[in-house]
Amino acid sequence: MIDPSELRYTTPELAAVFAPESHVRRMLDVEAGLARAQARVGVIPSSAADAITWACHGESYDVAALYAAAAEAGTLAIPLVKAIGERVGAEVHAFVHWGATSQDVIDTAFVLQARDALAPIDADLLRVCASCASLTERHRLTLMAGRTLLQQAVPIPFGLKAARWLGLAMRQVLALRTQGAASLVLQFGGAAGTLASLGDRGLAVAEALAGELDLPLPDLPWHAERDRMAALAAALGVTAGAMAKIARDVVLLAQTEVGEVGEAESPGKGGSSAMPHKQNPIDATMGLAAARLAIGQVSVVLGAMSQEHERGAGGWQAEWVALPALFRFAGGAVSRVARVLEGLQVHDERMRANLGGGAGLVMAEALATELAPHLGRAAAQQLVQVLGMRARTEGRPLRDLALEDPRVAAVLDAGQVDLTLDPGSNLGSAQAFIDRALASYREMLAADGQDADPSHR
Amino acid sequence: MIDPSELRYTTPELAAVFAPESHVRRMLDVEAGLARAQARVGVIPSSAADAITWACHGESYDVAALYAAAAEAGTLAIPLVKAIGERVGAEVHAFVHWGATSQDVIDTAFVLQARDALAPIDADLLRVCASCASLTERHRLTLMAGRTLLQQAVPIPFGLKAARWLGLAMRQVLALRTQGAASLVLQFGGAAGTLASLGDRGLAVAEALAGELDLPLPDLPWHAERDRMAALAAALGVTAGAMAKIARDVVLLAQTEVGEVGEAESPGKGGSSAMPHKQNPIDATMGLAAARLAIGQVSVVLGAMSQEHERGAGGWQAEWVALPALFRFAGGAVSRVARVLEGLQVHDERMRANLGGGAGLVMAEALATELAPHLGRAAAQQLVQVLGMRARTEGRPLRDLALEDPRVAAVLDAGQVDLTLDPGSNLGSAQAFIDRALASYREMLAADGQDADPSHR
Amino acid sequence: MIDPSELRYTTPELAAVFAPESHVRRMLDVEAGLARAQARVGVIPSSAADAITWACHGESYDVAALYAAAAEAGTLAIPLVKAIGERVGAEVHAFVHWGATSQDVIDTAFVLQARDALAPIDADLLRVCASCASLTERHRLTLMAGRTLLQQAVPIPFGLKAARWLGLAMRQVLALRTQGAASLVLQFGGAAGTLASLGDRGLAVAEALAGELDLPLPDLPWHAERDRMAALAAALGVTAGAMAKIARDVVLLAQTEVGEVGEAESPGKGGSSAMPHKQNPIDATMGLAAARLAIGQVSVVLGAMSQEHERGAGGWQAEWVALPALFRFAGGAVSRVARVLEGLQVHDERMRANLGGGAGLVMAEALATELAPHLGRAAAQQLVQVLGMRARTEGRPLRDLALEDPRVAAVLDAGQVDLTLDPGSNLGSAQAFIDRALASYREMLAADGQDADPSHR
Amino acid sequence: MIDPSELRYTTPELAAVFAPESHVRRMLDVEAGLARAQARVGVIPSSAADAITWACHGESYDVAALYAAAAEAGTLAIPLVKAIGERVGAEVHAFVHWGATSQDVIDTAFVLQARDALAPIDADLLRVCASCASLTERHRLTLMAGRTLLQQAVPIPFGLKAARWLGLAMRQVLALRTQGAASLVLQFGGAAGTLASLGDRGLAVAEALAGELDLPLPDLPWHAERDRMAALAAALGVTAGAMAKIARDVVLLAQTEVGEVGEAESPGKGGSSAMPHKQNPIDATMGLAAARLAIGQVSVVLGAMSQEHERGAGGWQAEWVALPALFRFAGGAVSRVARVLEGLQVHDERMRANLGGGAGLVMAEALATELAPHLGRAAAQQLVQVLGMRARTEGRPLRDLALEDPRVAAVLDAGQVDLTLDPGSNLGSAQAFIDRALASYREMLAADGQDADPSHR
């Protein structure tokens, strides 16, 4: 029951995790876990727990009918508990869902789904990191234009750009792991958070249930305190935004007039129905789209936090759609960017050619810096600004104009000007920055027990 | 291929309009219409148009496979045109999709879907209007507390509240009709908006295609100028927000402690898995949730408007999800509110009882108004404020405290105080406002050629 | 009391309209208008109305103190009415704000501010239109690459791009005018919408007040029905998004590697603190930033629509910031784009040069179209796709590869190939589209009574 | 230059931190720190660093003129560096801002402002925690209705609600501290992130500058990788949403018909211009408004993350407004909620009275639980549901109806029914949950070195 149109924006794995039947499945896991936990604590008979576990894992449920009933009942738990009850018979029915409230089961089931979903997102983020690390290594000396406000600024190695993508992606790995650990905890409080039906054994059942599901037990139930969900949503939104940054760079670098990178070509990919020559950056484009969609859901989740009293009317129910969508889209953005980077075609000769394309203006800062000690900074900058304007309007190289200018000639000879205007000799701390990023990457992998040499991956 | 979990947030009709296969269906309609239009203008042979029309309406397409290919190709049009081509054979294949670009077909197909969707939303909004009109008529003399900042303020007839809901809903009817007419126009521009492949017959084909699909022909193609879509999205977002206002009022009025309205009860509706006595306002709750989700999509659509050059990379593709979702959720909110209002249980005795519940403080303004000419406004207000504080802290009726106060007694006798404190005698222009709202409603229905008497509906 | 940092994102005129003292000023206008209206209807003495009018327009108020008191009182109206009362003396004090509630005055004052603000935004949008019309005329034959997904697609005249910007901007002019007329109406309902304090003269006072302020009188007060405000907010958001589209195009066209347009240069504009040669597209950049900020406020306003009962707690108060901010930022985006376009440097030779830059691939669609009748569409597209890939990888012109290919040579001679690959001879309906856009523009100006010839502006 | 209208939504302290002159001040601190750092490393003369430090801290700057120039220049750094240069004279001018780019200074100055802002927000959150802890202690036995979907559900102690608020607020304290530490790092990369102008001494200068400003040095500059800012923005948005949850509860509990809590009354607070008796929950209302405004900015910041290449055009500039606004509004929400809770009037008798108000239905779950072992769960629930419906429609207590029912009478006597229906005897694990929350609070305070006994605070 996966909507095929979704697969443009997410991965099959994430689509499966959040399919309607998976939610039902996870709710059944919670109900079964609850029964076993209560049997362990002695709240219900072991035989009842066995029957419930059997009913929850045994035969298939009519997912469409359950959702149809949920549209009336308000929650999916009500028809589901009824359906389990029908399977276990009247005697055991009373022990199904004992002491729990709908929200306990729905929230905890979602927490389990979220845990299922973070694993493939983490794996895809690590693919992004590995590709970035590899690009960083391979292109640490590949010169290209650094660009600010989409104007060529000064030269950078492409490896530095990749190192910054790497840092960005690594921070998302760590942020999602940290936030996942903090957010994914058991929900169990009963009707209004007191576990009233369980008398004085509520906390014992909660502990046992947490053990059954391998989830941390929080201090308190959190039915209407949605900060854990919101913070996880926000972390996914930030990850989506991080992917959008990389995808945006790729789309811009792949422009016909820039041509510095391209996505991997493959049959059926990125063509145009009207233009046979087009090789559109489809993965980056769809990554950008998925990121926009993910970020849109963050505002829904944050806006829904003001939930009323012990269970919200409207805000919580909006999360049922918004949170799975956010996971799907954020994970889709990561996956698309992983594909982009793994197949990225880097045209280093074009990078180098573009550097010179602006009449050498990309080296203007270096010239001003070199002249400053001689002329004073303001005068140096003003002089270079004038030369730059002339270079652009007259279409002549900055080098020639500089050498013709008596103020330059008075303090620098042609060799010095050429050295100053050599992009490769003006990279400042780029290599040091690259080293720092790669060291952090190796550290992260080492902590994960993985081999850090990108060439081995 | 409708996701059953969606049906909690939308109507089956809207789910069907935006199902993946419906999008494919509407794209096929556009391709067929294009072929016929081109045959009419003489761009392709009539026999080709017949074959294409037959192929587009004949056998079924593998929707899942088309979407899977679209995930690679970037647009659904590419695999779809290929699939049509396979059905018509090599000779006719060249005439399929002639001169069009993917976006022409995708946008126009969506425009057709949007037109399909606005009709049931309009019908549901009219149901909301009819219910509001009926409530207005029936409760034009039913007294209740007007509440500001959730505090009882002064008495109002419940009919006035319903009349304001009516005005709100009517404005959405008109706004969606107006915006639908403005936004739903043909998209047809070819690869980059020049219809280059059609030589000098582009405009003629465009006109013929507009005729085939019964859509207005705009001055220009609008591939990357998304204001029409954004304005429609915004109108739907406003409608969703309007529904949320009504649903919010109902949820608040249905609180246990207020108890002035309830949703219709029916088996399986609004219960609780833990609390057998609960009658939750499920429709209002789900209407609020749907409205939140709709509004979240508006920000995606507006944020995606800065689309690049002649076709955007990322922004447009985000619309493919966001716009259908917006229609579904906004329509779902309207439908839920229609259900809420059609079955609304109004507890007028409770409304009246609550009015007196605050020690009569709800009439404090009236008392201050009555005293002002005698004591001066500031003194009158200050006096009533003091009496009000005492009423709240001492738990005594304002009336008694007022009569005991010598400053009041000096200017008003008991009969005057009682008249002043009678909620029913202090309704100002409420009836006039109600009349104005109902008159506008009758006018709207008359323009639609419908009977306006709510009792006849 | 205008925050100087704001002026980067808005115009001085809009900053002034929404300055704190302007809001107070407009509230005073409403209070004065109310007093005069009530005197006309006979609710208060003429002498009181005169005194109130004098007090409202006479001496200056301590705006900072009023806002400080408002932070406690909850609304600005409470301290303001007190301040007016102190000026008119005890006797007249009782007649100040008679029958009104805080929200009547605050909302109506904002409506007056919004009306003040729409005028300069309209004027700036007309500047955008005029510039677009002029660019359309001047560049109707200037060839450039049409670009989809930021890849060169097929040639277009720059005038067509400008015509589409024109259509986009014109639609915003009309949309804001229409929505302004629909949204900007009097708010007057008293404590909970009944005008209870005015007895049976409420509606008469409302009519007189509407006349005093030259505002339409709506059917009903609208304290908690915020659709009019939300729809106006949404229209401004769409306008902001429309401006972002134009600004985005300009930023992309101004890239060093594209260089097809530039912003007007002027001293102090667009430089870099580190790079003396930079000429950053500052106006387009700040226009994009202002648009983002505007759109962010739309979601606040829509999200705040679910206001409780007869006056909202939180939602309405959020509008006090969000709506003025939205006007300021949307207007700022319009103004920045107007500046961009008025000073736009168009480098037509660069446009033409870039067209040829992709080995002639921009004409691939034309070649495929030309070959289709001979080879069949699929075969023609496939052939051109192969030639296109070779052109890109081998760096040779498409023309040469085409002429070398026996399948092409069999059906087209060199002259035909050259004609097919001539960008200027493949513009389809571009001129017709341009004509349609300009005709609509002239029509709009004619309706405004203005001269439509862009060369005269 | 603080906008007085802002103070309704933020604290004077936060308004001051983000005033235009404070941003200039912090930029001057960065420029001075940079000069000293470079002198330490030997890049510029000590005398120059002294002069720059003197100029940066000495005389006042014309903030309005700087911002006016920034509106043209694109960044504030350009006119500011010029202004510093004028103060230090031509010779030293060349050493001002040496090797830095505008963004280095603007971002780092903002980081310093953000650090300044987190301290008072932390302090206000601790006030919220302390109030919650105190309410938890004092009301651990105060019975009230737990409410789900705004319907009475089962009894809870008010102390449990307060404990959940406490847990929510504590998590925000920790989250903001953690995110602040992760996000607030030095920005220093020069024109495009290589520190090219500093040759091989870039990293040494960066370390020295980090030391001067007491900020961590990140692996890499982060001009266009905005995840740190976005994650901080998101954390503030979550905090705002958390405050909205508490404020929402208070507004609902303060409703006239509920009356279980009230905000502290004080002169000038919460009145109505029309209704002298009103005591509006102004702080909670304004807290909700501020939270909405804060959350609106999160979507701007996340949406702006896709920044181009080495410096974004539009996205970064939107942050200049959105991030300070977010801090101001989120901090304003915290401060309003702190005020709400510190002055909260708790009406425990009303809480208890409301519990019984629903004909005892709030105990229905307990009755069903008690009956389940005897009748089976389904039958027990169904029976209680019927009794509950009768209680509501007939207006009779659940207790009486239960005792009259033969199925109940067969298994429970009057004493057992009364015990079952006693709210105080059905609180499950409430006290255990309260203990857990308070223990965590004491732990947090202990880690901060503070006294944990709320009664001592």
Side-chain angles (χ1 to χ4, degrees), chain D residues 407-418:
Chain D
R407 287 161 296 184
V408 178
V411 296
L412 301 177
D413 63 25
Q416 285 170 308
V417 168
D418 283 336

Side-chain angles (χ1 to χ4, degrees), chain B residues 195-213:
Chain B
L195 291 173
S197 306
L198 296 173
D200 57 5
R201 289 182 293 182
L203 212 53
V205 171
E207 275 161 14
L209 176 56
E212 285 286 339
L213 302 174

Side-chain angles (χ1 to χ4, degrees), chain D residues 22 47 167 190 212 224 251-252 258 267 278 290-291 329 385-386 413 438:
Chain D
S22 303
S47 59
E212 285 284 340
V251 166
L252 290 171
V258 180
K278 289 283 294 285
F329 294 137
Q385 199 155 13
V386 168
D413 63 25
L438 289 173

